[in-house]
Amino acid sequence: MRTGINHLYIPGPTNVPEVVRQAMNVPMQDMRAHDFGALHIALFSDLKKVLRTAMGQVFLFPGSGTGAWEAAITNTLNPGDRVLMAQAGQFSLLWAEMARRLGLDVDLIEVEWGAGCPVDQFAERLKADKAGQIKAVFVTHNETATGVTSDIGAVRAALEAAGHGALLFVDGVSSVGCLDFRMDDWGVDLAVTGSQKGLMLPAGLGILAASTKALEASKTATMRRAYFEFNDQIKMNATGYFPYTPPTQLLHGLRKALDRMLEEGLDAVIARHHRLASGVRAAVKAWGLEVCAMDPAQYSDTVTAIRVPAGVDARDVIRIGYDRYNCSFGSGLGPLAGKVFRIGHLGDLNEGMCLTALSLAELSLNAAGAKVQFGSGVAAAQAVYAADAASVAMAAE
Ligand SMILES: *Cc1c(COP(=O)(O)O)cnc(C)c1O
């Protein structure tokens, strides 16, 4: 028998605000009614604000982030095209695997899990590619498996320095709506995300934005696609309709979630994620533990992967958290299984929720054999949150 709420600190699906859940509780609607489209036209334009793009064309596919990966590839590339990618964690690994399955020639640079995108190596490869054989560069903005955020602007700079015309694909599934994401400034051609992370919704929407250059490429791209065809969407979306049955409830939820984000202000949302994450990192330090991310400049503000001490199995920490304390932490994926547990701190979250995560992590760590001092992480995070609140109050005076 479980009492109370399940404390959900996995990096997705994230907590759905009560008002968003309520907003999805609507009767089924006539998807061909003359007034059905109005809701969606505004959704497309508000998603552009979140992605910080003026020119991008937004697509909403029933599916998940993985579906949006596939839509991005199949609409803009040709079988056998060479693409440049790095494998730095489970999600970049899966994207590379998909690219191979779809018949792309993947030039995969392997880096240690915990490192970010190897921009210098990308720059070398791009500079050496005088014949322009590399058709696309894929980057995972925030590697959710390791808690590492890569510098997309630096990848764009590398493309420019090489005078290279490859398309820039960016996986923003665990960054869009939480971290600073600048589609236009960074010249992102295909920006991929999903509904169940920063956007605070259930899973079910694969969200994609394509630049003018990506749309141009889609006109001649020969990779096979049917369900995900851009053109079918573009024609219907113009008036707010879809080529097949849309997940209406999710779209109502998206309306409410976007309202909340825009009311809080995108910059404030980003600052809140940074503040909350800083507290979590202070706690990890106070415990005497290490995060998986190697470079402090790349620490993720949406998820922290925490290495457990030698002799402790992170799977025990997670199981004890769940069974004993009704608290969900993220697991170590692939080679990190047993070595790390992850705290997702993205979406609809506040200081109190982070402090709960940290206090239950202290209990679970100790029960699993890691000797961390009770209250040490909580106190360290409280100090960060208190100092931040004090500086905000001073600035307001
Ligand atoms: C969650 C996640 C995905 C997979 O998205 P789904 O919605 O589960 O298909 C891809 N990339 C990153 C970085 C993620 O965090």
Side-chain angles (χ1 to χ4, degrees):
M1 166 72 187
R2 288 169 175 273
T3 55
I5 60 168
N6 170 233
H7 303 283
L8 191 66
Y9 302 109
I10 56 173
T14 65
N15 296 284
V16 176
E18 185 60 23
V19 288
V20 173
R21 272 173 40 204
Q22 299 288 346
M24 289 187 286
N25 189 0
V26 292
M28 298 312 112
Q29 280 175 281
D30 174 358
M31 59 180 270
R32 302 283 176 224
H34 67 82
D35 58 353
F36 181 72
L39 172 71
H40 313 119
I41 291 179
L43 289 181
F44 289 117
S45 60
D46 285 343
L47 278 168
K48 286 168 68 168
K49 293 180 194 160
V50 173
L51 292 158
R52 303 210 211 245
T53 180
M55 307 302 286
Q57 168 97 30
V58 175
F59 297 93
L60 291 170
F61 294 105
S64 72
T66 305
W69 274 350
E70 182 158 339
I73 292 173
T74 55
N75 276 281
T76 60
L77 296 172
N78 306 300
D81 275 355
R82 175 166 301 172
V83 298
L84 178 60
M85 303 180 76
Q87 189 208 290
Q90 186 69 9
F91 292 97
S92 42
L93 177 155
L94 289 173
W95 207 9
E97 175 58 25
M98 172 187 278
R100 284 205 191 95
R101 283 195 205 171
L102 290 171
L104 295 174
D105 172 14
V106 181
D107 182 0
L108 188 67
I109 299 178
E110 303 214 11
V111 299
E112 204 179 323
W113 288 30
C117 173
V119 180
D120 292 346
Q121 291 182 65
F122 274 27
E124 274 170 35
R125 290 279 217 287
L126 291 166
K127 209 165 271 173
D129 182 35
K130 299 286 181 231
Q133 282 190 314
I134 299 169
K135 300 301 177 195
V137 175
F138 287 42
V139 188
T140 302
H141 184 205
N142 188 75
E143 177 48 82
T144 319
T146 57
V148 171
T149 304
S150 288
D151 185 347
I152 307 299
V155 177
R156 169 49 65 198
L159 280 158
E160 269 171 17
H164 205 289
L167 292 168
L168 177 57
F169 284 54
V170 177
D171 175 343
V173 179
S174 62
S175 65
V176 168
C178 311
L179 308 182
D180 196 14
F181 190 97
R182 301 180 171 271
M183 178 162 177
D184 286 1
D185 289 355
W186 296 337
V188 176
D189 292 301
L190 282 309
V192 174
T193 193
S195 50
Q196 79 279 17
K197 295 186 182 170
L199 295 173
M200 309 178 286
L201 290 165
L205 283 177
I207 300 167
L208 178 64
S211 70
T212 312
K213 185 170 156 189
L215 292 178
E216 204 50 45
S218 76
K219 290 181 186 152
T220 53
T222 57
M223 203 171 269
R224 288 191 181 218
R225 56 197 185 262
Y227 183 80
F228 287 125
E229 171 64 51
F230 278 179
N231 258 327
D232 297 343
Q233 294 285 346
I234 290 171
K235 277 189 224 139
M236 299 292 291
N237 290 169
T239 49
Y241 292 81
F242 297 89
Y244 32 73
T245 318
T248 309
Q249 277 65 22
L250 275 172
L251 298 171
H252 282 281
L254 180 58
R255 177 67 272 151
K256 195 64 174 180
L258 288 169
D259 285 346
R260 280 172 73 87
M261 292 175 71
L262 297 174
E263 190 190 331
E264 184 179 356
L266 207 47
D267 290 331
V269 170
I270 295 163
R272 172 168 55 82
H273 280 84
H274 180 67
R275 180 171 77 245
L276 296 176
S278 301
V280 172
R281 289 191 285 266
V284 175
K285 201 168 168 204
W287 292 334
L289 300 182
E290 307 260 309
V291 296
C292 180
M294 296 183 321
D295 177 358
Q298 298 181 330
Y299 285 167
S300 166
D301 283 341
T302 58
V303 55
T304 300
I306 301 157
R307 289 190 184 277
V308 292
V312 174
D313 190 328
R315 284 167 288 217
D316 291 338
V317 178
I318 295 161
R319 193 181 37 77
I320 291 166
Y322 189 72
D323 286 347
R324 224 179 268 180
Y325 302 114
N326 204 356
C327 179
S328 293
F329 297 114
S331 56
L333 300 174
L336 297 176
K339 299 201 171 81
V340 309
F341 72 103
R342 294 175 298 151
I343 299 182
H345 34 81
L346 69 164
D348 188 40
L349 219 66
N350 57 29
E351 284 81 354
M353 292 163 83
C354 285
L355 293 170
T356 299
L358 296 172
S359 78
L360 296 179
E362 288 176 357
L363 283 167
S364 307
L365 278 163
N366 270 285
K371 297 272 164 274
V372 305
Q373 199 189 330
F374 286 132
S376 61
V378 172
Q382 283 173 319
V384 169
Y385 299 152
D388 198 83
S391 71
V392 170
M394 251 163 65
E397 269 166 22

